Amino acid sequence: MKSGAFMEQRYIFLSVILTSFFGPFLSSALTVAIPSIASSFEVSAAQLVWLVTLFLLGSAVSLLPAGKLADIYGRRRIYTIGCLGAAVSVMACAFAFNLLFLYIGSFIQGLFFSLVYASCTAILVCSYPQQKRGRILGFFVASVYIGLSAGPLIGGFLTQFCSWRLIFFFTGTGLLWSGFIAMFVKSEWYGKVGEKLDFWSIVLYAFSAAALLCGFASYNSQHFFMRFLVAAGFFGALLFIWRQKKLQEPLLPLLLFKNKIFAFSNLASFINYSATFGITFVLSLFLQLVRGLDAFHAGLLLLVQPVCMALGSPKAGALSDKFNPQCVAAGGMSIISAGLFLFSFVGKDVSCWYVGMLLAIIGIGFSLFASPNNNSIMSAVEPQFFGIASSMLAIVRIFGQSLSMALITCFLAEHAHPGAMLASGLARKMPAIFLTLGIICLFGIFASLAGRKLEAAQKK
């Protein structure tokens, strides 16, 4: 390999690793800073939930158009714009003088991060040969989990001894470096140059994505409008799909889903996030309200899962380069499912060591699933569609996470009271919650394996 190409590989790798660390870091660091931010603006902590919701909303409504933009105008270019735009919008939040400023900043961050999500995986797989793709994606996934793990620790330190505003400075500086490093890369990767973006496809996609995301977020609400939003979102999605069938240059090429590995690997990813994202939320409440741990020690115990994910992901990615990635992903999903079923037997007197062991099992299973499954998705499409495929990875993750929280809140809705009522209700609902999540995960195993079998049958 020529030295110039080798250096560009290193620049891309370093830039994407930094970005994949600082994005999750910001979201997890802000969770521990919420009380301090609320105190600064003299609002309730509940009002700051909108910081996360607006960020997800900004990302969700623009992910698919961002993927198309990356394929048309260049993935490295769109990625660099996303990094620099995210850096500026994040650092601007450090100067927020009221809550509305933070809300607007969070939404704008989501828009710019969608450019990053839609192109970062694409430029990684474009710059490395296929035989190294799984290992590189493994490091990419590992950096995400390291960011999630480091967020509460560094964010808590900065908040307690300095100011919550430094979280935004720290994250913005990292993203700025990431964008700066990407500017050294001269190579560019395109999909279909010259295609046009269909305005009504963007409108239908943005409407359905926003309606579904907001509807899922508040589905446990008794307000009829929230249920109406979910129905409207599904209707908008059907109209979106209908329009894509009519267009010669669709926003989402439906022909991609004729590849069964691509279709079922995305389905497996959606199922996985639906089954696992709510685990930390439920266990955080359980450990503090039922087991009586303080927030610090509960947080330390919950770190076991992302640490195991981070340690295992590079090895799992390399494993998927040698063996069939769908089989490796199905094995990881099986381990996750076993851990969830074991959690359904946990009672209020459970040992913290036992909880840690189960979290380690789920973390190992998730590492075996995530990198190989991403490898399957990106390897199933032609290079011209890498931007769209990268967007789909982020879309199924966001909607899987939203559905997971909707399921959890539906289980706990009748016990949504402070103190002993919530604690007793949670203790009683824990077996049902984890049993349900475990059953959902079983479908993910079949989805991972079905893609490979159906694709082989289709070729015959």
Side-chain angles (χ1 to χ4, degrees), residues 107-421:
F107 183 78
I108 294 173
Q109 288 164 33
L111 294 176
F112 279 112
F113 266 105
S114 71
L115 299 179
V116 174
Y117 296 151
S119 51
C120 61
T121 310
I123 61 174
L124 264 184
V125 299
C126 285
S127 57
Y128 282 86
Q130 187 167 357
Q131 61 268 26
K132 294 183 179 180
R133 188 174 292 168
R135 183 169 176 268
I136 293 301
L137 288 173
F139 280 108
F140 168 69
V141 172
S143 65
V144 171
Y145 298 135
I146 293 171
L148 287 172
S149 304
L153 298 176
I154 299 176
F157 176 84
L158 293 175
T159 301
Q160 183 172 347
F161 297 104
C162 303
S163 168
W164 58 265
R165 297 178 186 273
L166 284 182
I167 294 175
F168 291 105
F169 270 121
F170 180 66
T171 305
T173 302
L175 293 170
L176 202 61
W177 271 107
S178 184
F180 180 70
I181 293 169
M183 293 173 68
F184 283 96
V185 178
K186 303 303 179 184
S187 299
E188 187 56 278
W189 298 273
Y190 298 92
K192 288 189 175 181
V193 180
E195 278 198 2
K196 295 180 180 179
L197 288 171
D198 179 59
F199 173 76
W200 289 109
S201 292
I202 295 174
V203 170
L204 285 171
Y205 167 74
F207 167 77
S208 57
L212 287 171
L213 192 65
C214 293
F216 282 152
S218 305
Y219 194 76
N220 65 311
S221 170
Q222 298 301 313
H223 201 293
F224 170 76
F225 182 68
M226 296 305 171
R227 310 294 173 89
F228 171 77
L229 272 181
V230 174
F234 277 115
F235 181 70
L238 290 175
L239 286 177
F240 171 76
I241 293 170
W242 173 81
R243 184 164 182 83
Q244 302 315 291
K245 291 180 178 179
K246 302 291 183 181
L247 295 174
Q248 289 187 341
E249 296 179 353
L251 183 63
L252 176 62
L254 297 180
L255 61 88
L256 292 177
F257 294 93
K258 290 184 178 180
N259 184 303
K260 303 305 179 185
I261 292 177
F262 178 82
F264 279 88
S265 293
N266 272 296
L267 176 61
S269 184
F270 176 76
I271 292 171
N272 178 270
Y273 283 106
S274 299
T276 59
F277 185 70
I279 294 174
T280 302
F281 177 78
V282 173
L283 287 178
S284 177
L285 292 176
F286 174 80
L287 292 172
Q288 293 180 71
L289 299 180
V290 180
R291 281 289 286 108
L293 272 67
D294 57 42
F296 175 74
H297 287 93
L300 283 179
L301 186 55
L302 292 173
L303 278 178
V304 171
Q305 182 181 327
V307 167
C308 288
M309 292 175 181
L311 293 175
S313 289
K315 295 291 185 182
L319 198 65
S320 72
D321 288 329
K322 298 179 181 179
F323 303 98
N324 187 281
Q326 293 90 48
C327 292
V328 179
M333 192 80 90
S334 301
I335 294 172
I336 296 171
S337 187
L340 292 172
F341 283 128
L342 289 173
F343 260 123
S344 68
F345 296 101
V346 165
K348 62 181 181 180
D349 297 321
V350 65
S351 163
C352 290
W353 287 103
Y354 185 71
V355 172
M357 182 190 71
L358 295 187
L359 285 171
I361 290 172
I362 291 175
I364 293 169
F366 203 105
S367 69
L368 285 169
F369 170 80
S371 303
N373 192 70
N374 290 353
N375 194 5
S376 294
I377 292 172
M378 298 305 295
S379 298
V381 301
E382 296 177 11
Q384 61 181 322
F385 296 119
F386 277 169
I388 291 295
S390 186
S391 294
M392 285 302 301
L393 282 171
I395 289 169
V396 296
R397 182 185 72 245
I398 288 175
F399 281 99
Q401 291 171 345
S402 300
L403 181 58
S404 183
M405 291 308 298
L407 288 170
I408 299 300
T409 50
C410 283
F411 269 109
L412 300 178
E414 62 184 282
H415 306 290
H417 305 286
M421 289 187 69

Side-chain angles (χ1 to χ4, degrees), residues 31 60 78 85 87 126 248 299 372 429:
T31 58
I78 294 299
C126 285
Q248 289 187 341
K429 288 296 180 75

